[in-house]
Amino acid sequence: MPKKIEYKGNNVYVLRVPVGHTPRGYVKTTNKRVVADSMAEAQALYNKYEAGVMAEMESSGATPKTVKELVEHWFENVGNIGRKNTTIATDRHTSQRIIEALGDLHVRKVTYTQLNRFTANLIDEQCRNNSGRALSNRTVRMHQDFLKKLFDYAVKIGLRLDNPTEHMTFVKKSRKKIALPNMNFIKDYVQTIDEKSTNLRCAAYLALALGLRRGEICGLRWQDVDFQSNIIMVKWNRVKYDKAGTVSKNAIIVGASILQSPKSEEGDRQVAVPNEIMEELRELKLLNDSHKAVYQSVPGYEPIFSEFLILNEATGRPINVDTLSRFTGRISKCCGREGFTTHKLRHLATSVMLDQKLPVNVVQSVLGHADSKTTLDIYAHLLRPVNTEAAQIMGNFLQNMRK
């Protein structure tokens, strides 16, 4: 980065003074040659020029003055546009602590030391969440990330010439270690699943054997299943309509829910399926087809319902994510452990594959993760030959559990 003040000799200094921003948000500068007796005097001249530019920017219509006003301005022009309602709600919740602590400060006068102090207060044991526990590093980092994008926006619209978070000390995100159940619980769980109806049994096995997310399971359609190649194509994530936020052009509305494309390219993937699961799916398809005539007579039935794998056996409607969660929750309770969710079946599948020494990039492709910290392989989302090995391992695992 070029120096703001450069000494040229003979008491001549060149000041690189900001004069605004480009359309892409970069700072524009101009060089001013001044005569000063010392660097301190040159710095005073620079500060004078900079203050004049900021005053001009402020009077030109950049309205937010305080941090609280800036937060609302950001939500109005950026935060509420084209984002999921749940994401907006998370940012709203995060912004509340920021407004309480920093809301009355003038945007131009916020310093990184104030932001560091705010972070220190979040980490302090006195600052607790709704459940009474101290805030996690992950939550603290969420506040810091929000501040960063907030002041990036302030720079973009000309309220500041710099982002004070550039010098802020960011905490490292930490994840909770996943506590997996013992093998006796897993064996009981699998055997209990086998006693349930075909549709819910298949849903549970798709989470356990393939590591699919609940929204991906509820979004599967028969056209996504290749019975010849033993492959499932994961193309959609099914969510409640009121949680979908802005609906994309290729989204499909299904009753009170919506099918949306995965958030990343890696999420749109092909997954090899164990033979045991494919046999279950064949049985499920025959069952769904045999009930189709009955389902068509149910009020509110729509033809698109028959395209889905996992249906409510009474109404023929595709089950939603909450129904699937309640089912897996009841199974875990029957086996003596509450809180073993559908997503923990995904964690279990991951642990089995990694325990069998499968390469991380193969597990990455099966799960559809987009986290670059997990793998550096840019082709991880593609189906690889060894992916079939993953299917075989999970098939053997399920066979052992069902004995």
Side-chain angles (χ1 to χ4, degrees):
M1 180 181 290
K3 293 181 180 179
K4 293 180 179 180
I5 305 173
E6 189 175 354
Y7 181 60
K8 291 297 187 179
N10 297 326
N11 290 347
V12 175
Y13 294 83
V14 173
L15 312 182
R16 244 176 217 95
V17 182
V19 292
H21 292 80
T22 68
R24 296 183 65 183
Y26 298 110
V27 177
K28 292 192 295 186
T29 61
T30 186
N31 291 343
K32 290 184 178 291
R33 295 176 70 89
V34 297
V35 177
D37 292 332
S38 64
M39 178 61 78
E41 187 179 342
Q43 180 68 56
L45 288 170
Y46 177 88
N47 293 343
K48 181 180 177 181
Y49 284 123
E50 184 183 50
V53 171
M54 292 306 303
E56 185 178 341
M57 286 182 177
E58 201 168 278
S59 63
S60 65
T63 53
K65 303 294 189 299
T66 64
V67 172
K68 181 178 180 180
E69 291 173 357
L70 179 63
V71 168
E72 293 305 319
H73 202 272
W74 179 83
F75 273 111
E76 183 180 345
N77 293 281
V78 178
N80 292 340
I81 300 173
R83 306 167 81 219
K84 290 185 177 180
N85 291 346
T86 49
T87 307
I88 296 171
T90 299
D91 276 343
R92 276 286 181 192
H93 182 72
T94 302
S95 70
Q96 290 308 306
R97 283 195 180 94
I98 293 172
I99 290 173
E100 288 172 11
L102 308 170
D104 293 334
L105 296 179
H106 197 291
V107 174
R108 280 177 49 196
K109 296 180 180 178
V110 175
T111 65
Y112 79 91
T113 54
Q114 290 172 318
L115 300 183
N116 274 339
R117 196 178 304 121
F118 168 70
T119 299
N121 290 337
L122 290 180
I123 297 172
D124 192 289
E125 290 185 359
Q126 298 304 314
C127 188
R128 297 181 177 273
N129 58 23
N130 293 335
S131 60
R133 294 192 298 263
L135 299 183
S136 67
N137 283 1
R138 189 176 180 83
T139 302
V140 174
R141 180 59 183 266
M142 260 164 80
H143 286 76
Q144 292 181 313
D145 289 342
F146 185 85
L147 283 169
K148 183 180 184 306
K149 62 188 176 187
L150 186 68
F151 283 103
D152 276 342
Y153 177 68
V155 172
K156 281 274 188 184
I157 63 174
L159 285 178
R160 288 187 67 106
L161 295 171
D162 67 330
N163 186 333
T165 64
E166 290 176 1
H167 307 290
M168 190 167 66
T169 304
F170 281 82
V171 300
K172 187 177 180 180
K173 290 182 182 178
S174 60
R175 290 180 179 270
K176 287 183 179 179
K177 290 184 179 179
I178 298 168
L180 295 172
N182 58 43
M183 295 305 290
N184 288 333
F185 169 83
I186 298 170
K187 193 177 182 72
D188 289 344
Y189 194 96
V190 171
Q191 291 176 352
T192 305
I193 288 173
D194 277 340
E195 300 170 359
K196 301 303 178 181
S197 59
T198 305
N199 61 337
L200 293 175
R201 184 170 70 244
C202 285
Y205 280 139
L206 288 169
L208 177 57
L210 307 184
L212 297 190
R213 302 174 179 91
R214 62 178 192 164
E216 293 170 341
I217 294 169
C218 294
L220 283 176
R221 298 187 291 172
W222 289 114
Q223 64 195 54
D224 303 326
V225 181
D226 186 338
F227 285 105
Q228 281 191 324
S229 302
N230 279 21
I231 285 174
I232 280 179
M233 288 156 280
V234 182
K235 296 181 176 180
W236 302 101
N237 181 46
R238 186 152 161 251
V239 296
K240 290 182 178 179
Y241 191 77
D242 60 351
K243 293 185 177 180
T246 303
V247 179
S248 58
K249 291 181 180 179
N250 65 337
I252 301 172
I253 297 175
V254 184
S257 64
I258 187 168
L259 292 181
Q260 288 192 326
S261 300
K263 291 188 288 186
S264 65
E265 291 183 6
E266 291 83 357
D268 188 340
R269 64 198 187 276
Q270 297 178 347
V271 182
V273 184
N275 290 327
E276 291 77 11
I277 303 301
M278 292 306 289
E279 289 304 316
E280 295 278 359
L281 293 180
R282 286 188 178 92
E283 181 184 340
L284 178 63
K285 189 166 191 334
L286 289 173
L287 180 67
N288 287 357
D289 289 345
S290 67
H291 292 168
K292 188 173 180 180
V294 176
Y295 293 152
Q296 287 174 338
S297 64
V298 176
Y301 179 84
E302 298 177 21
I304 194 174
F305 292 168
S306 63
E307 297 179 12
F308 288 84
L309 271 66
I310 314 299
L311 303 177
N312 182 308
E313 289 189 342
T315 65
R317 290 174 175 269
I319 69 167
N320 60 43
V321 292
D322 291 336
T323 301
L324 181 54
S325 293
R326 285 194 293 271
F327 169 70
T328 54
R330 285 196 298 268
I331 296 294
S332 66
K333 190 174 182 179
C334 288
C335 297
R337 177 170 178 156
E338 294 194 34
F340 194 71
T341 62
T342 311
H343 203 75
K344 287 185 179 178
L345 291 175
R346 174 178 167 86
H347 293 324
L348 179 57
T350 307
S351 69
V352 172
M353 287 185 275
L354 292 175
D355 186 59
Q356 296 296 319
K357 310 304 181 189
L358 278 177
V360 173
N361 65 309
V362 176
V363 179
Q364 179 91 358
S365 71
V366 173
L367 299 177
H369 282 158
D371 189 355
S372 60
K373 294 179 182 177
T374 308
T375 178
L376 298 177
D377 191 342
I378 61 173
Y379 301 107
H381 65 288
L382 300 177
L383 181 67
R384 302 183 179 216
V386 75
N387 199 330
T388 307
E389 185 184 348
Q392 186 60 47
I393 287 172
M394 297 310 299
N396 293 340
F397 171 74
L398 289 175
Q399 272 188 334
N400 292 333
M401 292 296 104
R402 299 171 83 172
K403 288 179 182 177

